[in-house]
Short mmCIF file of all heavy atoms in Angstrom, two decimals:
data_model
loop_
_atom_site.label_atom_id
_atom_site.label_comp_id
_atom_site.label_asym_id
_atom_site.label_seq_id
_atom_site.Cartn_x
_atom_site.Cartn_y
_atom_site.Cartn_z
N ARG B 499 -14.07 19.37 -6.47
CA ARG B 499 -12.63 19.25 -6.18
C ARG B 499 -11.86 20.46 -6.70
O ARG B 499 -10.90 20.90 -6.08
CB ARG B 499 -12.07 17.96 -6.78
CG ARG B 499 -12.57 16.71 -6.05
CD ARG B 499 -12.01 15.44 -6.67
NE ARG B 499 -10.57 15.34 -6.50
CZ ARG B 499 -9.98 14.75 -5.47
NH1 ARG B 499 -10.70 14.21 -4.52
NH2 ARG B 499 -8.67 14.71 -5.39
N PHE B 502 -12.39 23.38 -4.35
CA PHE B 502 -11.71 23.21 -3.08
C PHE B 502 -10.19 23.15 -3.26
O PHE B 502 -9.44 23.12 -2.29
CB PHE B 502 -12.20 21.94 -2.39
CG PHE B 502 -11.66 21.74 -1.00
CD1 PHE B 502 -12.00 22.62 0.02
CD2 PHE B 502 -10.81 20.68 -0.71
CE1 PHE B 502 -11.50 22.45 1.30
CE2 PHE B 502 -10.31 20.51 0.58
CZ PHE B 502 -10.66 21.39 1.58
N ALA B 504 -8.67 20.61 -4.40
CA ALA B 504 -8.21 19.23 -4.24
C ALA B 504 -7.51 18.78 -5.52
O ALA B 504 -6.55 18.03 -5.49
CB ALA B 504 -9.38 18.31 -3.92
N PRO B 524 -5.97 22.57 -1.21
CA PRO B 524 -6.95 22.61 -0.11
C PRO B 524 -6.59 23.67 0.93
O PRO B 524 -7.48 24.32 1.48
CB PRO B 524 -6.86 21.21 0.48
CG PRO B 524 -6.41 20.35 -0.63
CD PRO B 524 -5.49 21.20 -1.46
N ILE B 525 -5.29 23.86 1.18
CA ILE B 525 -4.90 24.82 2.22
C ILE B 525 -5.36 26.23 1.83
O ILE B 525 -5.90 26.97 2.66
CB ILE B 525 -3.39 24.76 2.45
CG1 ILE B 525 -3.04 23.40 3.05
CG2 ILE B 525 -2.93 25.87 3.36
CD1 ILE B 525 -1.61 23.00 2.95
N ILE B 528 -9.16 26.40 2.25
CA ILE B 528 -9.52 26.46 3.66
C ILE B 528 -9.24 27.86 4.19
O ILE B 528 -10.00 28.41 5.00
CB ILE B 528 -8.76 25.38 4.47
CG1 ILE B 528 -9.25 23.99 4.06
CG2 ILE B 528 -8.95 25.58 5.97
CD1 ILE B 528 -8.38 22.86 4.54
N ARG B 540 -14.34 7.13 3.66
CA ARG B 540 -13.29 6.29 4.23
C ARG B 540 -11.92 6.62 3.64
O ARG B 540 -10.93 6.62 4.35
CB ARG B 540 -13.63 4.82 4.03
CG ARG B 540 -13.26 4.01 5.24
CD ARG B 540 -13.97 2.68 5.28
NE ARG B 540 -15.35 2.77 5.70
CZ ARG B 540 -16.28 1.89 5.33
NH1 ARG B 540 -15.99 0.90 4.52
NH2 ARG B 540 -17.51 2.01 5.77
N THR B 541 -11.87 6.87 2.33
CA THR B 541 -10.56 7.06 1.72
C THR B 541 -10.13 8.53 1.70
O THR B 541 -8.96 8.82 1.76
CB THR B 541 -10.54 6.52 0.28
OG1 THR B 541 -11.62 7.10 -0.43
CG2 THR B 541 -10.68 5.02 0.28
N GLU B 542 -11.09 9.45 1.60
CA GLU B 542 -10.71 10.85 1.47
C GLU B 542 -11.21 11.72 2.61
O GLU B 542 -11.00 12.92 2.61
CB GLU B 542 -11.25 11.42 0.15
CG GLU B 542 -10.63 10.76 -1.06
CD GLU B 542 -11.29 11.24 -2.35
OE1 GLU B 542 -12.17 12.11 -2.29
OE2 GLU B 542 -10.91 10.73 -3.40
N GLY B 543 -11.90 11.09 3.57
CA GLY B 543 -12.47 11.90 4.62
C GLY B 543 -11.83 11.64 5.97
O GLY B 543 -11.06 12.44 6.48
N LEU B 544 -12.14 10.49 6.52
CA LEU B 544 -11.76 10.24 7.90
C LEU B 544 -10.45 9.46 8.00
O LEU B 544 -10.05 8.78 7.06
CB LEU B 544 -12.88 9.45 8.59
CG LEU B 544 -14.20 10.21 8.60
CD1 LEU B 544 -15.34 9.28 8.95
CD2 LEU B 544 -14.13 11.36 9.58
N VAL B 545 -9.82 9.57 9.16
CA VAL B 545 -8.68 8.73 9.47
C VAL B 545 -9.20 7.69 10.44
O VAL B 545 -9.42 7.98 11.61
CB VAL B 545 -7.54 9.54 10.09
CG1 VAL B 545 -6.32 8.67 10.31
CG2 VAL B 545 -7.19 10.73 9.22
N GLU B 547 -8.26 5.16 12.12
CA GLU B 547 -7.62 4.77 13.38
C GLU B 547 -7.79 5.81 14.47
O GLU B 547 -7.76 5.50 15.65
CB GLU B 547 -6.13 4.64 13.12
CG GLU B 547 -5.61 3.26 13.04
CD GLU B 547 -4.11 3.34 12.86
OE1 GLU B 547 -3.66 3.82 11.81
OE2 GLU B 547 -3.41 2.94 13.78
N LEU B 548 -7.86 7.08 14.06
CA LEU B 548 -7.92 8.14 15.04
C LEU B 548 -9.31 8.20 15.67
O LEU B 548 -10.29 7.74 15.10
CB LEU B 548 -7.58 9.49 14.41
CG LEU B 548 -6.15 9.66 13.88
CD1 LEU B 548 -5.89 11.11 13.53
CD2 LEU B 548 -5.13 9.18 14.88
N SER B 549 -9.37 8.81 16.84
CA SER B 549 -10.63 8.86 17.57
C SER B 549 -11.57 9.87 16.94
O SER B 549 -11.18 10.68 16.09
CB SER B 549 -10.37 9.24 19.02
OG SER B 549 -9.91 10.57 19.07
N GLU B 552 -10.25 13.35 17.62
CA GLU B 552 -9.13 13.76 16.77
C GLU B 552 -9.60 14.04 15.35
O GLU B 552 -9.12 14.98 14.70
CB GLU B 552 -8.05 12.70 16.80
CG GLU B 552 -7.30 12.67 18.11
CD GLU B 552 -6.42 11.45 18.29
OE1 GLU B 552 -6.90 10.33 18.01
OE2 GLU B 552 -5.28 11.60 18.69
N ILE B 555 -11.30 17.54 15.27
CA ILE B 555 -10.47 18.75 15.38
C ILE B 555 -9.40 18.83 14.29
O ILE B 555 -8.67 19.81 14.20
CB ILE B 555 -9.78 18.86 16.76
CG1 ILE B 555 -8.83 17.69 16.96
CG2 ILE B 555 -10.79 18.97 17.87
CD1 ILE B 555 -7.76 18.00 17.97
N LEU B 556 -9.32 17.78 13.45
CA LEU B 556 -8.19 17.67 12.52
C LEU B 556 -8.02 18.91 11.63
O LEU B 556 -6.93 19.46 11.53
CB LEU B 556 -8.34 16.41 11.66
CG LEU B 556 -7.10 15.98 10.91
CD1 LEU B 556 -5.97 15.65 11.87
CD2 LEU B 556 -7.39 14.76 10.04
N ALA B 557 -9.10 19.34 11.00
CA ALA B 557 -8.98 20.46 10.05
C ALA B 557 -8.63 21.76 10.78
O ALA B 557 -7.81 22.54 10.32
CB ALA B 557 -10.27 20.64 9.27
N GLN B 559 -7.04 22.02 13.61
CA GLN B 559 -5.66 21.91 14.05
C GLN B 559 -4.71 22.13 12.87
O GLN B 559 -3.70 22.82 13.00
CB GLN B 559 -5.42 20.52 14.67
CG GLN B 559 -4.04 20.33 15.21
CD GLN B 559 -3.75 21.27 16.37
OE1 GLN B 559 -4.35 21.19 17.43
NE2 GLN B 559 -2.85 22.21 16.16
N ALA B 560 -5.07 21.57 11.73
CA ALA B 560 -4.22 21.72 10.56
C ALA B 560 -4.09 23.19 10.18
O ALA B 560 -3.02 23.67 9.81
CB ALA B 560 -4.80 20.92 9.39
N TRP B 564 0.98 22.69 13.43
CA TRP B 564 1.19 21.72 14.51
C TRP B 564 1.83 22.33 15.74
O TRP B 564 1.79 21.78 16.83
CB TRP B 564 2.00 20.52 14.02
CG TRP B 564 3.38 20.82 13.50
CD1 TRP B 564 3.71 21.12 12.21
CD2 TRP B 564 4.60 20.83 14.23
NE1 TRP B 564 5.05 21.32 12.10
CE2 TRP B 564 5.62 21.14 13.33
CE3 TRP B 564 4.93 20.61 15.58
CZ2 TRP B 564 6.95 21.25 13.71
CZ3 TRP B 564 6.26 20.71 15.96
CH2 TRP B 564 7.26 21.03 15.03
N PRO B 567 -0.99 23.66 19.34
CA PRO B 567 -2.05 22.68 19.58
C PRO B 567 -3.28 23.35 20.21
O PRO B 567 -3.15 24.32 20.95
CB PRO B 567 -1.41 21.69 20.56
CG PRO B 567 -0.31 22.45 21.21
CD PRO B 567 0.19 23.44 20.19
N ARG B 610 -16.20 18.08 11.67
CA ARG B 610 -14.84 18.56 11.45
C ARG B 610 -14.85 19.92 10.77
O ARG B 610 -14.09 20.81 11.13
CB ARG B 610 -14.08 17.56 10.58
CG ARG B 610 -12.73 18.13 10.12
CD ARG B 610 -12.07 17.30 9.06
NE ARG B 610 -11.73 15.99 9.57
CZ ARG B 610 -11.29 15.01 8.79
NH1 ARG B 610 -11.14 15.21 7.51
NH2 ARG B 610 -11.02 13.84 9.30
N TRP B 611 -15.72 20.06 9.77
CA TRP B 611 -15.71 21.31 9.02
C TRP B 611 -16.53 22.38 9.71
O TRP B 611 -16.19 23.56 9.66
CB TRP B 611 -16.22 21.07 7.59
CG TRP B 611 -15.22 20.28 6.83
CD1 TRP B 611 -15.37 19.01 6.34
CD2 TRP B 611 -13.88 20.67 6.49
NE1 TRP B 611 -14.22 18.60 5.73
CE2 TRP B 611 -13.29 19.59 5.80
CE3 TRP B 611 -13.12 21.82 6.71
CZ2 TRP B 611 -11.99 19.63 5.32
CZ3 TRP B 611 -11.83 21.86 6.24
CH2 TRP B 611 -11.27 20.78 5.56
N VAL C 288 7.96 17.10 21.61
CA VAL C 288 7.67 17.69 20.31
C VAL C 288 6.44 17.05 19.67
O VAL C 288 5.66 17.71 19.00
CB VAL C 288 8.90 17.58 19.38
CG1 VAL C 288 8.52 17.86 17.93
CG2 VAL C 288 9.99 18.53 19.82
N ARG C 291 3.27 17.18 23.02
CA ARG C 291 2.88 18.46 23.59
C ARG C 291 2.40 19.41 22.51
O ARG C 291 1.72 20.38 22.78
CB ARG C 291 4.07 19.10 24.33
CG ARG C 291 4.45 18.40 25.60
CD ARG C 291 3.52 18.80 26.73
NE ARG C 291 3.41 17.71 27.67
CZ ARG C 291 2.59 17.72 28.71
NH1 ARG C 291 1.82 18.76 28.94
NH2 ARG C 291 2.53 16.69 29.51
N THR C 292 2.82 19.15 21.29
CA THR C 292 2.27 19.91 20.17
C THR C 292 1.28 18.98 19.47
O THR C 292 0.99 17.89 19.95
CB THR C 292 3.36 20.29 19.16
OG1 THR C 292 3.76 19.12 18.49
CG2 THR C 292 4.55 20.92 19.83
N ALA C 293 0.78 19.41 18.35
CA ALA C 293 -0.15 18.57 17.61
C ALA C 293 0.58 17.69 16.60
O ALA C 293 -0.05 16.98 15.83
CB ALA C 293 -1.19 19.43 16.90
N LEU C 294 1.93 17.74 16.61
CA LEU C 294 2.68 17.00 15.59
C LEU C 294 2.34 15.51 15.61
O LEU C 294 2.14 14.90 14.55
CB LEU C 294 4.18 17.20 15.80
CG LEU C 294 5.07 16.55 14.74
CD1 LEU C 294 4.84 17.19 13.39
CD2 LEU C 294 6.54 16.63 15.11
N MET C 296 -0.34 13.87 16.56
CA MET C 296 -1.64 13.54 15.98
C MET C 296 -1.61 13.72 14.47
O MET C 296 -2.18 12.92 13.72
CB MET C 296 -2.72 14.44 16.57
CG MET C 296 -4.10 14.06 16.11
SD MET C 296 -5.32 15.31 16.53
CE MET C 296 -5.13 16.46 15.21
N ILE C 297 -0.90 14.77 14.04
CA ILE C 297 -0.88 15.02 12.59
C ILE C 297 -0.07 13.93 11.88
O ILE C 297 -0.46 13.46 10.81
CB ILE C 297 -0.33 16.44 12.33
CG1 ILE C 297 -1.43 17.44 12.72
CG2 ILE C 297 0.06 16.62 10.88
CD1 ILE C 297 -1.08 18.88 12.57
N GLU C 299 0.11 10.87 12.88
CA GLU C 299 -0.78 9.71 12.88
C GLU C 299 -1.87 9.85 11.82
O GLU C 299 -2.27 8.87 11.19
CB GLU C 299 -1.40 9.52 14.26
CG GLU C 299 -0.39 9.01 15.27
CD GLU C 299 -0.92 8.95 16.69
OE1 GLU C 299 -1.91 9.62 16.99
OE2 GLU C 299 -0.31 8.24 17.49
N ALA C 300 -2.33 11.09 11.62
CA ALA C 300 -3.35 11.31 10.60
C ALA C 300 -2.77 11.06 9.21
O ALA C 300 -3.39 10.39 8.38
CB ALA C 300 -3.90 12.73 10.69
N GLY C 303 -2.22 7.39 8.86
CA GLY C 303 -3.48 6.65 8.82
C GLY C 303 -4.21 6.85 7.52
O GLY C 303 -4.81 5.91 6.99
N ASN C 304 -4.18 8.06 6.96
CA ASN C 304 -4.88 8.32 5.70
C ASN C 304 -4.32 9.60 5.09
O ASN C 304 -4.74 10.70 5.44
CB ASN C 304 -6.39 8.44 5.96
CG ASN C 304 -7.18 8.49 4.67
OD1 ASN C 304 -6.64 8.80 3.60
ND2 ASN C 304 -8.46 8.18 4.76
N GLU C 306 -4.46 10.93 2.05
CA GLU C 306 -5.31 11.76 1.20
C GLU C 306 -6.32 12.54 2.05
O GLU C 306 -6.54 13.73 1.84
CB GLU C 306 -6.03 10.88 0.16
CG GLU C 306 -6.97 11.63 -0.78
CD GLU C 306 -6.27 12.69 -1.63
OE1 GLU C 306 -5.03 12.75 -1.62
OE2 GLU C 306 -6.99 13.47 -2.28
N ALA C 307 -6.91 11.85 3.04
CA ALA C 307 -7.85 12.54 3.91
C ALA C 307 -7.15 13.69 4.63
O ALA C 307 -7.72 14.76 4.81
CB ALA C 307 -8.45 11.56 4.92
N SER C 308 -5.90 13.46 5.03
CA SER C 308 -5.16 14.51 5.73
C SER C 308 -4.93 15.70 4.82
O SER C 308 -5.04 16.84 5.23
CB SER C 308 -3.82 13.96 6.22
OG SER C 308 -4.02 12.84 7.01
N ARG C 309 -4.59 15.42 3.57
CA ARG C 309 -4.35 16.52 2.62
C ARG C 309 -5.63 17.34 2.48
O ARG C 309 -5.60 18.57 2.49
CB ARG C 309 -3.94 15.95 1.26
CG ARG C 309 -3.54 17.02 0.24
CD ARG C 309 -3.12 16.40 -1.08
NE ARG C 309 -4.24 16.00 -1.90
CZ ARG C 309 -4.77 16.76 -2.86
NH1 ARG C 309 -4.28 17.95 -3.09
NH2 ARG C 309 -5.80 16.33 -3.56
N LEU C 310 -6.76 16.64 2.34
CA LEU C 310 -8.02 17.35 2.14
C LEU C 310 -8.48 18.06 3.42
O LEU C 310 -9.34 18.92 3.37
CB LEU C 310 -9.10 16.39 1.64
CG LEU C 310 -8.86 15.85 0.23
CD1 LEU C 310 -9.99 14.94 -0.19
CD2 LEU C 310 -8.69 16.98 -0.77
N ALA C 311 -7.91 17.68 4.56
CA ALA C 311 -8.25 18.38 5.80
C ALA C 311 -7.34 19.59 5.97
O ALA C 311 -7.42 20.29 6.97
CB ALA C 311 -8.13 17.46 7.00
N GLY C 312 -6.47 19.82 4.99
CA GLY C 312 -5.63 21.00 5.04
C GLY C 312 -4.28 20.79 5.71
O GLY C 312 -3.59 21.75 6.01
N ILE C 313 -3.92 19.52 5.95
CA ILE C 313 -2.61 19.26 6.55
C ILE C 313 -1.55 19.34 5.45
O ILE C 313 -1.75 18.84 4.35
CB ILE C 313 -2.59 17.87 7.20
CG1 ILE C 313 -3.48 17.88 8.44
CG2 ILE C 313 -1.17 17.45 7.56
CD1 ILE C 313 -3.67 16.53 9.05
N ARG C 314 -0.44 19.99 5.78
CA ARG C 314 0.65 20.03 4.81
C ARG C 314 1.45 18.74 4.96
O ARG C 314 2.52 18.72 5.56
CB ARG C 314 1.53 21.25 5.09
CG ARG C 314 0.76 22.55 4.90
CD ARG C 314 1.54 23.75 5.39
NE ARG C 314 0.65 24.88 5.62
CZ ARG C 314 0.35 25.79 4.70
NH1 ARG C 314 0.88 25.72 3.52
NH2 ARG C 314 -0.47 26.78 4.98
N ILE C 318 5.22 17.49 6.76
CA ILE C 318 5.31 16.57 7.90
C ILE C 318 6.20 15.39 7.53
O ILE C 318 7.09 14.98 8.29
CB ILE C 318 3.89 16.08 8.29
CG1 ILE C 318 3.01 17.26 8.70
CG2 ILE C 318 3.97 15.05 9.40
CD1 ILE C 318 3.43 17.97 9.96
N LEU C 321 9.70 16.36 7.44
CA LEU C 321 10.20 16.58 8.80
C LEU C 321 10.61 15.27 9.48
O LEU C 321 11.67 15.20 10.11
CB LEU C 321 9.12 17.30 9.62
CG LEU C 321 9.49 17.76 11.01
CD1 LEU C 321 10.59 18.78 10.95
CD2 LEU C 321 8.27 18.34 11.72
N GLY C 370 1.68 2.24 9.32
CA GLY C 370 1.54 3.65 9.68
C GLY C 370 0.35 3.90 10.57
O GLY C 370 -0.45 3.00 10.83
N GLY C 371 0.23 5.12 11.06
CA GLY C 371 -0.87 5.46 11.95
C GLY C 371 -0.38 5.61 13.38
O GLY C 371 0.69 6.17 13.62
N ARG C 372 -1.15 5.09 14.30
CA ARG C 372 -0.82 5.21 15.72
C ARG C 372 0.61 4.78 16.03
O ARG C 372 1.06 3.75 15.53
CB ARG C 372 -1.76 4.33 16.53
CG ARG C 372 -3.16 4.90 16.60
CD ARG C 372 -3.25 5.90 17.73
NE ARG C 372 -4.63 6.31 17.95
CZ ARG C 372 -4.97 7.56 18.19
NH1 ARG C 372 -4.07 8.52 18.20
NH2 ARG C 372 -6.22 7.87 18.42
#
Side-chain angles (χ1 to χ4, degrees):
Chain B
R499 290 180 66 91
F502 186 65
I525 293 162
I528 292 167
R540 219 161 283 153
T541 53
E542 295 174 3
L544 299 165
V545 185
E547 255 184 294
L548 295 191
S549 68
E552 287 168 314
I555 63 157
L556 195 61
Q559 183 64 66
W564 60 270
R610 170 191 296 171
W611 290 114
Chain C
V288 165
R291 290 280 151 185
T292 71
L294 184 65
M296 186 192 83
I297 286 178
E299 288 174 340
N304 189 340
E306 180 60 9
S308 304
R309 186 179 79 94
L310 293 181
I313 290 173
R314 297 170 199 270
I318 299 294
L321 186 63
R372 287 275 188 222

